[in-house]
Every structure is written in C-alpha cells, then in structure tokens.
Amino acid sequence: MKIDSFITWEPDLTDLSKERKSKPREIGCTMVMDKGLGLTAFEDLCQLSGEYIDFLKLGFGTAAITPQPILQKKLNHAQKHYIHLYPGGTFFEIAWMQKYFSKYINHLCKLGFSWVEISDGTISISDSDRSSCIQYARSEGLQVLTEVGKKKSGSVLSVSEVLKIYEQDLQAGASFVIMEGRETGKNIGMFDREGKINTTYLSELQKVLTPSLVIWEAPQKDQQVELFERFGVQTNLGNIAPHDVLSVESLRRGLRSDTLSWWT
Amino acid sequence: MKIDSFITWEPDLTDLSKERKSKPREIGCTMVMDKGLGLTAFEDLCQLSGEYIDFLKLGFGTAAITPQPILQKKLNHAQKHYIHLYPGGTFFEIAWMQKYFSKYINHLCKLGFSWVEISDGTISISDSDRSSCIQYARSEGLQVLTEVGKKKSGSVLSVSEVLKIYEQDLQAGASFVIMEGRETGKNIGMFDREGKINTTYLSELQKVLTPSLVIWEAPQKDQQVELFERFGVQTNLGNIAPHDVLSVESLRRGLRSDTLSWWT
Amino acid sequence: MKIDSFITWEPDLTDLSKERKSKPREIGCTMVMDKGLGLTAFEDLCQLSGEYIDFLKLGFGTAAITPQPILQKKLNHAQKHYIHLYPGGTFFEIAWMQKYFSKYINHLCKLGFSWVEISDGTISISDSDRSSCIQYARSEGLQVLTEVGKKKSGSVLSVSEVLKIYEQDLQAGASFVIMEGRETGKNIGMFDREGKINTTYLSELQKVLTPSLVIWEAPQKDQQVELFERFGVQTNLGNIAPHDVLSVESLRRGLRSDTLSWWT
C-alpha cells in the first residue's frame, strides 16, 4: 500500500456529488413528510439538512390541528431555508368536500404558504373541477403540486389513467405530479404488500412520463435505490421521513453501501 | 365549479371536531409512550400536541434510569400541560417482586407523580394482593391505571378472565383498565402476528366492558381506525408513539384519509 | 400483604444494576447509530442517556454531508459526555476506493475524531491492505473498530472466514471487531429475513470469539435479548437507534419485561 500516492480529500468526494445542484433546484428534489415535528425538531432538521430538503409536507390534515403560532414559525423557518412548506392533499380534499375550497386557498395565502397540493386520494372529483382548482390556486399566486392515485389499500390506477390525469394537471398549471405511495410505501400503486416495486408497471410509466415533472413517494430505502438506478440521482423523491433525509442524500451521492458501486 | 358558494374555513372544520372535548378529558384520551425522549424533545412534544395528550407513560422501567433532574423537569412540564405522567407497569412489578412496593408508591408521591400503573404483565400476583396495591396507592393519594394481559408473545386471556380482573380493579379503585398491546401491537392479546385485530374476540369484550373505562393499547394505524369505527372517536387509545400523536388526532377528527369518509 | 416489610428503594434496584460499570467502560458497551440527528436532538440524547452510550456512529457517509460547524459541535459534545464519535465504515471505503485513505485519516485527526472504522462491507480489500490501514490509523493516534461482513442482502461469511479476519484485525491493532447487522438487522449475517438469529451459526461463533472484543450490531429487541441471554448483560451491542438507548439499558438491567425474569 503506497500511503504517499493519495490525493486530496475534497475534490474526490465532490466528484460524484457535483451532479447535485444547490437550492433552489428544479430536479433532484427531496420532499419530506412532517407528521408532527415539534418546533425545535423542525428547526433542528432545517439546520442539519435544510440544503437537502426542497419540499416539506404537513402530512394528512395535521396543519389544521397544529397550533397556529407553531405553524407560523414553521412557515417562517422553512422560508429562511428555501424549503417549500405545504399542507397535505387530504386537507384540500376536506376543504373541497366541505365546499370551502376558495376560502382554503385564500387562507393558505394569508398564512404565507406558496405551494398547495391538489389530490383526490380519498374523495371523487371530476376532471374539470380538478383543473379548475389548479387554475384557481395558480390565479391566487400559489404553485401547485398534484397527486395521482387512490389511498385505499391495494389501489392501482392503469397507466393510461395516470397519464391522463398527469397531462391534464400539467396543462392546468401544476408544477409537479406526485405518485401516491402513502406513508408506508406498501400495498399501494406500484408497491406490493412488502413495498417491492412492480417493475413492469414502472417501466410502462417510464415510457410516458417526464421524470423531472414527477415526484415519487418512496419512503423505503430499496424503493429509493431502485428509482435512482432507473431515473438517475436527480429523481424527485417524496414522503421521506425526517430522520431519513441524510440517508437519501447519501444514496444520491454514492455515500451509502447500496449506491457505492456508482463510483466504480 | 362555483367559487362563490364556499363558506368559511372554521365552522366546517370544527363541525366534526366539535365532538372532541378539551382537556382535562375523561373520554377520548390518548396515552403516549415515552421510551426515552430527551428533555427538549419532551417539551417540543408538549408544546406541539399537549392538547391531544392525556397520559404519558415512561415505558418499561426507564423511569429508574432517567437522570433525576430530567425526570423532575418532565414531571413539571407535563403538569403545566395537564398531562398525566406515570411510570410503566413494569417498574411496579419490579418493586413488587423486590418487596418495596410501599416505598415505590411513597417515592412516586414524593417526586410529584399523581398516577401509577398496577399490572402483572410479567410477574404473578394474587387477586387480593393486586386489589390491595390499588387500594394502597389510592390511600396515598394516587390515581390508578391497571393493565390486563400478559406480555409474553402470543398471550391471550380469555374474555372471562379479562372481565374478572377488570371488575376487581375498578372495584378496588382503578380509574382506567388498560388492555395490553405492547410497543408493537403484534402477537399479543387481540392482535395477531401482523397486528390484525381478532374481531370475534374484540366483539366479545365489547359486550362486557364499558368503553369509557378502557384504554386500548393500539400503536398501529389500522388498529386505531378499527377501534374508532367500533367504539367511536372518543375511544381511549394507548401506546401511541410520540411522533404519531397528530396522526391519531387527525384520525379522530376525520382529517386523515382512513377516516375522511366519516364526513359524508 | 405486609406493607411494613418493604425495604428501601435504591439498594434493590441497583442490586441487578451493579454489574453495570460506569464510563469509560471496556465491556457492556452500547454503540448508537446516528443517521441524521439535528444538533439539539444530539445534545438531548447525550443529556438523557449519555451515561449509557459508549460509541456513536455517524451512519454511512453522512459525516461527509453534515455541515462542518454541526459536525464540530457534535464532536465537542460527544467528548464532553465521554462518547466516542466516529464516521461509519462506508466513508472509509469511499476514501479507500478514491485512494485518499491517508488524507482521510489525517482529516479525521484534524477534526478531532479519536476512533475510526475500517471495513469492507461493500468494497474488496486485500488482507494485507486491511491490516496496513489499521496500523496506519493507529500510528496516527486513532483507535480502530473494524467490521466483518458484507452488506449485500443475504450475505453470510463462514465461521472460519469471520475468525480469520477477526484475528488479523486484532493483531493489526483493532480494539473491537463489529459483526455486520446493518440498520435493519434483517437478511444479513446471522439474521434471517425477519431478523431471527441463526443460533447454530451463532453458537459456532461463540466457540471461537472472545465476547468482550466483539460488538454485535443488533438493532431489534429480540436480537438484543437473545445476545444478552447468551453472552451476559455485558455484551457489546451496536446499531442501536437513538430512541432505543433507554430500552437497551432497561434490558441490560432487568427493567423491561423481556429480561425481568433475571431478577428471580
């Protein structure tokens, strides 16, 4: 072993990492699910790994039961770190069902949100209403993420259904379309009961979707690795647990065993 | 879509939430398991979701190895948020085995605890001794939770055994009887190896127990949903992980996909 | 029940606990995996359970993407609590592949690390190079942990392979040899897909290894219990999640149901 032949620390490490853009990014985004971080934990997360988080979702309808002073501070803190904080789609769905959608949008604007999620994971909504919602949110100054897929266990949309909604949503003004994976990544969409990806289904999606416009909800490590290997390290991933942000970023950069082979 | 027809934000959201009482509550209680929260994390939790937490259990015998200044601060902080902090039943069982039960009770009182758990998940204790313990704790000014069920994997008590202990405990002065589910909610009591509820068994329990006097240890989401659907949103749940408090409260209020249908 | 016959609180509890040495310890060590704790969470953990943590591993290559001021503060804080902080072996493997191993060691020294992990979980490295690495790290003033085992799912080394590497590593100057278990403790080394221990394999290892020189990565509770029962409460355990430190310490001291029987 020739100790003397080693070169410097920094250039090599960044060799693989240089593909990673710094924020604000439009590709290689990581969306994290906050299902109840306390304020200190939230700030702690931003301080440690804010550079690796693009979107932060307040899961389910938790935004509605978060004390407003804490919500306000989370918003301020996220902004400071260039993280897009937004309420989960379920909150939109409740607003829609209750017929106060425009109030919902206006309330989000007033609180200081700049992104909203439009989805129909639990409710039914017509294509034209869905597009109107996206357009209305845009007209009020919000950017829009939509989500495709039903939340009921075992639900899978056909590739043509996914494609139809995806195209409509983008045309109506959505910036990203999220593929439903829920909190667990199991028994939903392209994931089986253990979380294994249905690769045939994914391959068909791959033929018709533009990867940079999709955020894949993929909470499990093996799912993340498979998506990175298929679509590259700039794949947008969602529903990442707060404690997994550094793990996902390590995977992206070949800094974890599962992707170390990328260096060779 | 008629944008103008939407009504205000607040009344609708509280429409379903109005069933939820504010603290101190005697029904609809949530008991959280703290198996090692640091002091900041503990305060963070209380600040974010203290309104949704009624009981906080220091899991297993962790109270014994928590540095006393931290324990004292947790107690003060819990009190400030009207949360009943108490040591897990295992700690009682050790005290019982070691024959220092009355010292245990007196020490808890001195530290400032106002609730204690009496259980026999691991040890054996005669019916009369169990009742004496409850009575002694009450006589010293503590309120009592008891737990029914053995902790050994696969253990299930017959419905008549559960009923017998339940009645004895209440008669001796217990305020609530906890149904054992352990930290995982798997392969214990009414839960099978995957955590599915044995609904036949549960139905039989349902016939004989008064729901408001029972706390169901149910750490998994599907268990929580099933119990809410059967006993209503005021069901007392236990062994909720700290990071799941907002999720459970969302479920109670129809703010998560799994219970959103309650709105319709 | 004779209330008067109870003796004092403290002596009894420490009766079983007295086997536990206080830090710095050379046996009964607990190694925790930090895969992305924020600074406050890190300090919180040290404050609550620093007495029960001997080693803290910055998992995978996360040390490389942790903002340096935070890394520096973690190092200082760990030192204050007599906790050995060190970067995961994967970071070494990248350094080795990139041929900047000596820079890696020197950088760690400069930052203030005093331990390093040498492993080949993902890369290949010759026996003599491995020993040279250990010796070089020692010559630069670091103490060395090595790890035995491949990270690929389903990998198992034969007992004789394990023994060969174990002996070489110790001879080259390693203080402890870690048995690979990954973050999950599933489908790796002696663990099957559910995390059950292959007891025949473990028994063979037991015949040839000196327990005090081994750290077993065993993130699951049942694994921890089985190792404690086989090797005693002074078994060195690794890959403990931060939120499980008090649980593991409770198990060691007979303060959790699963080990309560040790008192009798």
Side-chain angles (χ1 to χ4, degrees):
Chain A
M1 196 182 76
K2 298 186 204 154
I3 295 289
D4 289 347
S5 69
F6 298 134
I7 45 175
T8 57
W9 166 285
E10 297 82 0
D12 295 275
L13 240 193
T14 50
D15 209 46
L16 192 82
S17 295
K18 75 184 172 195
E19 249 196 272
R20 289 293 285 153
K21 303 210 184 311
S22 58
K23 300 205 306 180
R25 278 181 288 258
E26 290 185 351
I27 53 167
C29 293
T30 295
M31 178 265 273
V32 173
M33 188 204 261
D34 170 2
K35 57 178 198 165
L37 291 171
L39 196 55
T40 312
F42 188 90
E43 294 175 358
D44 227 25
L45 175 71
C46 292
Q47 186 198 34
L48 175 70
S49 49
E51 176 60 27
Y52 314 126
I53 302 173
D54 302 273
F55 292 94
L56 228 158
K57 173 171 66 182
L58 299 166
F60 339 128
T62 57
I65 53 172
T66 300
Q68 191 156 330
I70 295 183
L71 186 59
Q72 201 64 63
K73 282 177 189 157
K74 283 191 175 185
L75 265 163
N76 297 345
H77 214 79
Q79 237 150 14
K80 223 177 75 186
H81 285 270
Y82 304 99
I83 294 169
H84 306 307
L85 191 74
Y86 70 94
T90 296
F91 203 173
F92 154 76
E93 298 183 40
I94 293 161
W96 174 260
M97 280 168 66
Q98 296 289 310
K99 302 198 190 308
Y100 60 93
F101 166 67
S102 69
K103 290 273 177 197
Y104 174 69
I105 295 296
N106 300 341
H107 195 62
L108 293 187
C109 293
K110 210 173 105 192
L111 284 170
F113 284 99
S114 49
W115 286 78
V116 67
E117 181 182 327
I118 304 294
S119 62
D120 63 348
T122 313
I123 64 166
S124 288
I125 183 167
S126 74
D127 289 352
S128 67
D129 280 351
R130 185 177 171 112
S131 291
S132 297
C133 286
I134 297 168
Q135 285 157 357
Y136 180 72
R138 292 299 310 270
S139 73
E140 293 296 304
L142 296 179
Q143 288 192 267
V144 176
L145 302 141
T146 64
E147 189 172 54
V148 177
K150 293 295 180 184
K151 290 194 190 293
K152 208 178 160 210
S153 291
S155 300
V156 199
L157 298 185
S158 73
V159 172
S160 61
E161 282 175 294
V162 171
L163 182 61
K164 192 192 77 175
I165 303 168
Y166 161 89
E167 286 180 336
Q168 275 173 192
D169 288 357
L170 292 173
Q171 191 151 11
S175 299
F176 291 99
V177 179
I178 301 169
M179 297 291 152
E180 176 68 75
R182 300 210 71 180
E183 186 192 346
T184 55
K186 290 183 183 175
N187 202 19
I188 189 84
M190 66 179 175
F191 303 124
D192 74 10
R193 287 171 177 280
E194 270 72 46
K196 280 236 171 84
I197 292 179
N198 177 336
T199 52
T200 313
Y201 181 72
L202 179 56
S203 295
E204 288 187 46
L205 288 178
Q206 192 171 2
K207 286 182 202 152
V208 293
L209 306 178
T210 302
S212 62
L213 300 172
V214 172
I215 298 177
W216 304 90
E217 290 188 348
Q220 297 186 23
K221 187 194 64 176
D222 291 345
Q223 298 167 350
Q224 296 154 10
V225 171
E226 185 152 346
L227 288 164
F228 286 145
E229 293 194 333
R230 188 179 281 257
F231 296 108
V233 300
Q234 303 294 13
T235 307
N236 304 310
L237 292 190
N239 281 14
I240 304 304
H243 55 256
D244 281 334
V245 174
L246 287 196
S247 165
V248 167
E249 191 66 27
S250 294
L251 289 172
R252 282 193 196 277
R253 294 171 190 245
L255 295 172
R256 192 171 175 180
S257 172
D258 314 80
T259 59
L260 198 62
S261 61
W262 296 349
W263 291 81
T264 54
Chain B
M1 198 181 74
K2 297 186 203 153
I3 294 290
D4 289 348
S5 70
F6 299 132
I7 45 177
T8 58
W9 167 285
E10 297 82 1
D12 295 90
L13 240 193
T14 49
D15 209 46
L16 192 80
S17 295
K18 76 185 171 192
E19 249 196 272
R20 289 293 286 152
K21 302 206 184 316
S22 59
K23 300 205 307 180
R25 276 180 289 258
E26 290 185 351
I27 53 167
C29 293
T30 294
M31 178 264 275
V32 173
M33 187 204 261
D34 170 1
K35 58 178 197 163
L37 291 172
L39 196 55
T40 312
F42 188 91
E43 294 175 358
D44 228 23
L45 175 72
C46 292
Q47 185 198 35
L48 175 70
S49 48
E51 177 59 27
Y52 313 127
I53 302 173
D54 303 273
F55 292 95
L56 229 159
K57 172 171 67 181
L58 299 166
F60 339 126
T62 57
I65 54 171
T66 299
Q68 191 156 332
I70 295 184
L71 186 60
Q72 201 64 63
K73 283 179 190 155
K74 283 191 174 184
L75 266 163
N76 297 344
H77 214 80
Q79 237 151 16
K80 223 177 74 188
H81 286 270
Y82 304 99
I83 294 168
H84 306 307
L85 191 73
Y86 70 95
T90 296
F91 202 174
F92 154 75
E93 297 183 39
I94 294 162
W96 175 260
M97 281 168 65
Q98 296 288 311
K99 303 197 188 307
Y100 60 92
F101 166 68
S102 69
K103 290 273 177 197
Y104 174 70
I105 294 297
N106 299 342
H107 194 63
L108 293 187
C109 293
K110 212 174 102 192
L111 284 169
F113 284 99
S114 50
W115 287 78
V116 67
E117 182 183 326
I118 304 294
S119 61
D120 63 349
T122 313
I123 64 167
S124 287
I125 182 167
S126 73
D127 288 354
S128 68
D129 280 351
R130 186 177 169 112
S131 290
S132 297
C133 285
I134 297 168
Q135 285 157 357
Y136 181 72
R138 292 298 310 270
S139 74
E140 293 296 303
L142 297 180
Q143 288 192 269
V144 176
L145 303 142
T146 64
E147 189 172 52
V148 177
K150 292 294 180 183
K151 290 193 189 293
K152 208 177 161 215
S153 292
S155 301
V156 199
L157 297 185
S158 73
V159 172
S160 61
E161 281 175 296
V162 171
L163 181 60
K164 191 193 76 176
I165 303 168
Y166 162 89
E167 287 180 335
Q168 275 173 192
D169 288 356
L170 292 172
Q171 192 151 10
S175 300
F176 291 99
V177 179
I178 302 169
M179 296 293 151
E180 176 69 74
R182 298 211 71 179
E183 186 191 347
T184 56
K186 290 183 184 176
N187 200 20
I188 189 85
M190 68 179 174
F191 303 123
D192 74 10
R193 287 171 176 281
E194 270 72 48
K196 281 236 171 84
I197 293 179
N198 177 336
T199 52
T200 312
Y201 181 73
L202 179 57
S203 294
E204 288 186 46
L205 286 178
Q206 191 171 4
K207 285 183 202 152
V208 294
L209 306 178
T210 303
S212 64
L213 300 173
V214 173
I215 298 177
W216 305 91
E217 290 187 349
Q220 297 186 25
K221 188 194 64 178
D222 290 345
Q223 298 167 351
Q224 297 153 10
V225 171
E226 185 152 345
L227 288 164
F228 286 144
E229 293 194 333
R230 189 180 281 256
F231 298 107
V233 301
Q234 303 293 13
T235 308
N236 304 310
L237 293 189
N239 281 14
I240 304 304
H243 56 255
D244 281 333
V245 174
L246 287 196
S247 165
V248 166
E249 191 65 27
S250 294
L251 289 172
R252 282 192 195 276
R253 294 171 189 247
L255 295 172
R256 194 170 174 180
S257 172
D258 314 80
T259 58
L260 200 62
S261 61
W262 296 349
W263 292 81
T264 53
Chain C
M1 197 181 74
K2 298 185 201 153
I3 295 289
D4 289 347
S5 71
F6 299 133
I7 45 177
T8 57
W9 166 285
E10 298 82 0
D12 294 275
L13 241 194
T14 49
D15 208 45
L16 192 81
S17 294
K18 75 183 172 195
E19 249 197 272
R20 288 292 287 151
K21 302 208 185 314
S22 59
K23 299 205 308 181
R25 276 180 290 258
E26 290 184 352
I27 53 168
C29 292
T30 294
M31 178 263 275
V32 173
M33 188 204 262
D34 170 0
K35 56 178 200 166
L37 291 171
L39 196 55
T40 311
F42 188 91
E43 294 176 359
D44 228 24
L45 175 72
C46 292
Q47 186 198 33
L48 175 69
S49 49
E51 177 59 27
Y52 314 127
I53 302 173
D54 302 272
F55 292 94
L56 228 159
K57 172 171 68 181
L58 300 166
F60 339 128
T62 57
I65 54 172
T66 299
Q68 192 157 330
I70 295 183
L71 186 59
Q72 200 66 62
K73 282 179 189 155
K74 283 191 174 184
L75 266 163
N76 297 344
H77 214 80
Q79 238 151 16
K80 224 177 74 187
H81 285 269
Y82 304 98
I83 294 169
H84 306 308
L85 191 74
Y86 70 94
T90 297
F91 203 174
F92 154 74
E93 298 184 39
I94 294 162
W96 175 260
M97 281 169 66
Q98 297 288 311
K99 302 196 189 307
Y100 60 92
F101 166 67
S102 68
K103 290 273 177 197
Y104 174 69
I105 294 297
N106 300 343
H107 195 62
L108 293 187
C109 293
K110 212 173 104 192
L111 284 169
F113 284 100
S114 50
W115 286 78
V116 67
E117 182 182 326
I118 304 294
S119 62
D120 63 349
T122 313
I123 63 166
S124 287
I125 182 167
S126 73
D127 288 353
S128 67
D129 280 351
R130 185 176 171 114
S131 290
S132 297
C133 286
I134 297 168
Q135 286 157 357
Y136 181 73
R138 292 298 309 268
S139 73
E140 294 296 303
L142 296 179
Q143 287 192 268
V144 176
L145 302 142
T146 64
E147 189 173 53
V148 177
K150 292 295 179 185
K151 289 193 190 294
K152 208 177 161 213
S153 292
S155 301
V156 199
L157 297 185
S158 72
V159 171
S160 60
E161 282 176 294
V162 171
L163 182 61
K164 191 192 77 175
I165 303 168
Y166 162 88
E167 287 181 335
Q168 276 172 192
D169 287 357
L170 292 173
Q171 192 153 9
S175 300
F176 291 98
V177 179
I178 302 169
M179 296 292 151
E180 176 68 75
R182 299 210 70 178
E183 186 191 347
T184 55
K186 289 183 182 175
N187 201 20
I188 188 86
M190 67 180 174
F191 303 124
D192 74 9
R193 286 171 177 280
E194 272 71 48
K196 280 237 171 82
I197 293 179
N198 177 336
T199 53
T200 313
Y201 181 72
L202 179 56
S203 294
E204 288 186 46
L205 287 178
Q206 193 172 2
K207 286 182 201 151
V208 293
L209 306 179
T210 304
S212 64
L213 300 172
V214 172
I215 298 177
W216 305 90
E217 290 188 349
Q220 297 187 23
K221 188 194 65 177
D222 291 345
Q223 298 167 351
Q224 297 154 9
V225 171
E226 185 152 344
L227 288 164
F228 286 144
E229 294 194 333
R230 189 180 281 256
F231 298 107
V233 300
Q234 302 293 13
T235 308
N236 305 309
L237 292 190
N239 281 12
I240 304 304
H243 55 254
D244 281 335
V245 174
L246 287 197
S247 164
V248 167
E249 191 65 27
S250 294
L251 289 172
R252 283 193 195 275
R253 293 172 189 245
L255 295 172
R256 192 169 176 181
S257 172
D258 313 80
T259 59
L260 199 61
S261 61
W262 297 350
W263 292 81
T264 53

